[in-house]
Amino acid sequence: MSDELTSDLRELAVTAETPPPLSGAEIRGRAVRRRRHRRTAAAVVGASAAAALALVLALNLGGGDTNRHPSPAASPTGTPTTPATPDASVDLFRRVVTVAGRELPLSSGAPLTPTRAGRMTVTAKVSMKLVPAEELRFEGYDIKLPWFIELRASDGRTNYIAGLTYDEKAPGYYNSTSGWIGLRESDAQWLYGQLKEGSVVDIEGAAPTPTPVSTPTPVSTPTPTSTLITSPTATAAVGP
């Protein structure tokens, strides 16, 4: 009699249970099935342990220590780009800012302080800005510029658009700033409401070269020379 069968019979005796009315062949069949179940369970446990061991080895051999060797960050699917169509265009030659189909006359940098072209982005806005006199090429006092819009290029250059309150006749006709873009105050206020932080502004072209005004050379007028006319003196003959 097998050890398992003996063990089963002892368990039945201890619990005072009546052995089932089974034949010896049936009892042996049950024992065989139990052994198969135990072997299957042991095989499954062994396979799981082997798989776990293989995973640990693979991680160690392949440098899988994520604490010391973190995996590189995933590459971004796309790089943010500036829009192809700007929110505002500045034409230095025509002296206009085009926004939403509207053209606003402007005054840009004077010949000695030209405005540089390029794509810029709105980085800040303030309704009134106190600008130092030296920045405006003035002497003696600072000036408050209304509807101030700060611009920045990708290379770090900065510029701004504001109301040119101290020279309202300049926008559209002549350039008088130190390089910034000046508008009439009412136009600057309207533009201030149209643009927001992040808006793109394209500055294109170059300011027209002022035509030098030729000063006529004065024509010298010859001084008239006095002509002396000598009248012959008549001598009278006196008779004897």
Side-chain angles (χ1 to χ4, degrees), residues 132-134 137-143:
E134 57 270 16
R137 301 296 179 94
F138 286 159
E139 294 182 2
Y141 57 93
D142 303 338
I143 291 184

Side-chain angles (χ1 to χ4, degrees), residues 128-141:
M128 186 68 69
K129 175 81 171 182
L130 182 64
V131 182
E134 57 270 16
E135 184 175 330
L136 296 173
R137 301 296 179 94
F138 286 159
E139 294 182 2
Y141 57 93

Side-chain angles (χ1 to χ4, degrees), residues 5-195:
L5 179 58
T6 303
S7 176
D8 292 341
L9 291 175
R10 287 178 179 175
E11 290 177 2
L12 291 175
V14 171
T15 56
E17 293 182 356
T18 303
L22 298 176
S23 63
E26 291 178 344
I27 294 174
R28 285 191 296 272
R30 285 188 176 184
V32 171
R33 287 194 295 272
R34 288 181 179 177
R35 284 196 300 271
R36 289 177 180 174
H37 290 163
R38 291 173 182 173
R39 290 174 182 173
T40 302
V44 171
V45 172
S48 300
L53 179 60
L55 178 60
V56 171
L57 291 175
L59 291 175
N60 289 333
L61 294 176
D65 188 353
T66 56
N67 292 328
R68 291 182 299 171
H69 306 285
S71 58
S75 301
T77 56
T79 302
T81 56
T82 53
T85 303
D87 299 289
S89 296
V90 176
D91 190 331
L92 298 176
F93 185 79
R94 295 177 55 229
R95 295 193 182 100
V96 293
V97 180
T98 303
V99 181
R102 180 177 173 182
E103 290 188 344
L104 312 175
L106 67 86
S107 177
S108 62
L112 296 179
T113 55
T115 302
R116 293 177 60 184
R119 171 160 287 195
M120 309 191 82
T121 304
V122 176
T123 55
K125 295 168 55 180
V126 59
S127 59
M128 186 68 69
K129 175 81 171 182
L130 182 64
V131 182
E134 57 270 16
E135 184 175 330
L136 296 173
R137 301 296 179 94
F138 286 159
E139 294 182 2
Y141 57 93
D142 303 338
I143 291 184
K144 291 182 179 180
L145 298 181
W147 315 113
F148 189 94
I149 302 173
E150 183 181 274
L151 305 174
R152 182 179 296 273
S154 58
D155 60 1
R157 289 184 296 114
T158 59
N159 206 340
Y160 53 89
I161 304 173
L164 187 58
T165 53
Y166 60 85
D167 195 355
E168 285 276 345
K169 295 180 180 179
Y173 294 99
Y174 56 90
N175 299 316
S176 62
T177 74
S178 58
W180 57 282
I181 299 167
L183 307 177
R184 293 183 299 223
E185 186 173 0
S186 58
D187 291 339
Q189 182 178 3
W190 181 85
L191 183 65
Y192 187 91
Q194 293 293 313
L195 299 182

